[in-house]
Amino acid sequence: MVAYVIIPGIDGSGEQHWQTLWERRWGAAAVRIAPASWSAPDLDDWVGAVQRAYDDASRRDGQVVLVAHSLGCWAASTWLNANPSSPAGAFLVAPPDPRGPAFPREAAATFAEVSARPLPCPALVVGSADDPYCTPETARDLAARWTARWHLAGACGHLNSASGLGAWPHGRELLDSLTRQ
């Protein structure tokens, strides 16, 4: 059995977001982070929330996988770099480019100076051909710097609720391929 840590982006993932739909399906095997700063993200607060969720998830099962979206990818990678004896894997979807023009610098100022370093566990970065927050080239470069596998999901926007992915079966297949490594 696998336990999952759900790490959404700014304001959490709404009711129709694939992360929320997966979390409902997984039930007690999923733990969502709960930072105090959802709308004005503070990196330390989010990393602390990842730690608390990871601790909770690891009590449920020894094999834990991080499932991050958007800004949550940076909270996940920052936490992973500080925790070398870390989870079984990291599924990083639509990481925003902190140096890109659409990055929410005012709302997420403490995230603006993050950098991608090799991760201590198997990881998969999923990007979109038309993500307004990150070009596919930059997402592929982040994957390389994170030493993660890379997958271009096609033209799916920011891979969020507005993308109309629903339960995103293709994403589940990608996640399953990560956990089978």
Side-chain angles (χ1 to χ4, degrees), residues 33-54:
I33 68 167
S37 60
W38 273 124
S39 297
D42 175 77
L43 183 59
D44 290 339
D45 177 38
W46 282 41
V47 169
V50 173
Q51 181 66 58
R52 290 186 297 278
Y54 178 80

Side-chain angles (χ1 to χ4, degrees), residues 101-181:
F103 191 80
R105 280 179 188 43
E106 282 187 39
T110 59
F111 283 76
E113 298 303 318
V114 293
S115 62
R117 298 188 332 245
L119 299 177
C121 66
L124 173 61
V125 175
V126 181
S128 169
D130 60 351
D131 187 337
Y133 297 99
C134 190
T135 67
E137 296 79 19
T138 299
R140 184 176 45 248
D141 179 61
L142 292 172
R145 289 189 284 144
W146 277 326
T147 60
R149 289 180 17 230
W150 160 247
H151 179 82
L152 183 62
C156 302
H158 193 48
L159 294 158
N160 57 9
S161 299
S163 299
L165 300 171
W168 195 27
H170 181 62
R172 281 300 308 272
E173 291 170 11
L174 293 169
L175 175 63
D176 290 345
S177 76
L178 174 68
T179 59
R180 284 192 303 266
Q181 284 187 346

